Amino acid sequence: MTIRPAERVAAVRRFNRFYTQYVGALDDSLLRSAFSLTEVRVLFELAHGPATTAHALGQRLGLDAGYLSRILQRFRRGGLLTREASPQDRREYWLRLTPAGRAAFMPLDRAASREVARMLKSLSDDKQRMLLAAMQTIQRLLD
């Protein structure tokens, strides 16, 4: 049976809607926090990587520069982020989480892990293996 291109597009979009709803990605805040999904993702990148620039961070996450700038300004005003001028290029700034930024991120990271563990716990071992294999396949095909 041949699946028409329009049906393929509809199937991918249906899965995307299902999954974003399932993980709560459309909620105004993520994990009952003051942060949106995008903000948590920015915090994650800053917490798990070396110091970076806004330009590099925006490219890595595929975010609009203006939108990212507003997020970073909010983090700076909240004491979560520091900026240090790059010695190589004074137009660029190195971004780092402050201790307060790390403290704000850690409970979010733990809560996200608990949510995933809860999701996996509802599945049998066989279904967990199938789910992980399917996720790896999707990632491999789209990467």
Side-chain angles (χ1 to χ4, degrees):
M1 178 170 117
T2 302
I3 301 173
R4 295 189 334 242
E7 292 170 332
R8 293 175 187 187
V9 168
V12 169
R13 293 187 67 205
R14 188 171 42 254
F15 175 80
N16 288 346
R17 286 191 304 275
F18 162 78
Y19 193 70
T20 54
Q21 178 72 31
Y22 187 85
V23 299
L26 301 177
D27 297 343
D28 287 339
S29 65
L30 187 67
L31 303 168
R32 296 171 206 59
S33 74
F35 301 103
S36 69
L37 173 63
T38 304
E39 290 169 333
V40 172
R41 184 60 203 267
V42 170
L43 286 171
F44 179 91
E45 290 295 325
L46 291 168
H48 286 92
T52 188
T53 64
H55 178 74
L57 184 60
Q59 283 192 318
R60 190 163 55 246
L61 295 175
L63 292 176
D64 171 75
Y67 181 41
L68 178 59
S69 177
R70 289 188 296 279
I71 291 171
L72 296 175
Q73 285 175 2
R74 178 173 174 244
F75 288 175
R76 282 186 61 218
R77 282 193 308 270
L80 305 178
L81 179 73
T82 62
R83 273 183 1 156
E84 178 185 324
S86 167
Q88 293 85 15
D89 184 347
R90 291 297 203 191
R91 296 169 298 175
E92 290 278 327
Y93 292 89
W94 291 106
L95 306 173
R96 290 182 179 84
L97 287 181
T98 63
R102 290 195 179 281
F105 173 71
M106 291 308 291
L108 298 171
D109 198 37
R110 285 191 299 269
S113 292
R114 281 193 307 271
E115 286 292 315
V116 171
R118 181 191 55 75
M119 174 189 70
L120 291 172
K121 189 176 180 180
S122 71
L123 301 173
S124 69
D125 283 345
D126 284 345
K127 287 183 178 180
Q128 286 183 33
R129 280 191 284 281
M130 288 172 53
L131 177 66
L132 295 174
M135 289 175 160
Q136 289 170 348
T137 299
I138 290 169
Q139 187 173 354
R140 188 176 55 251
L141 290 172
L142 296 179
D143 200 11

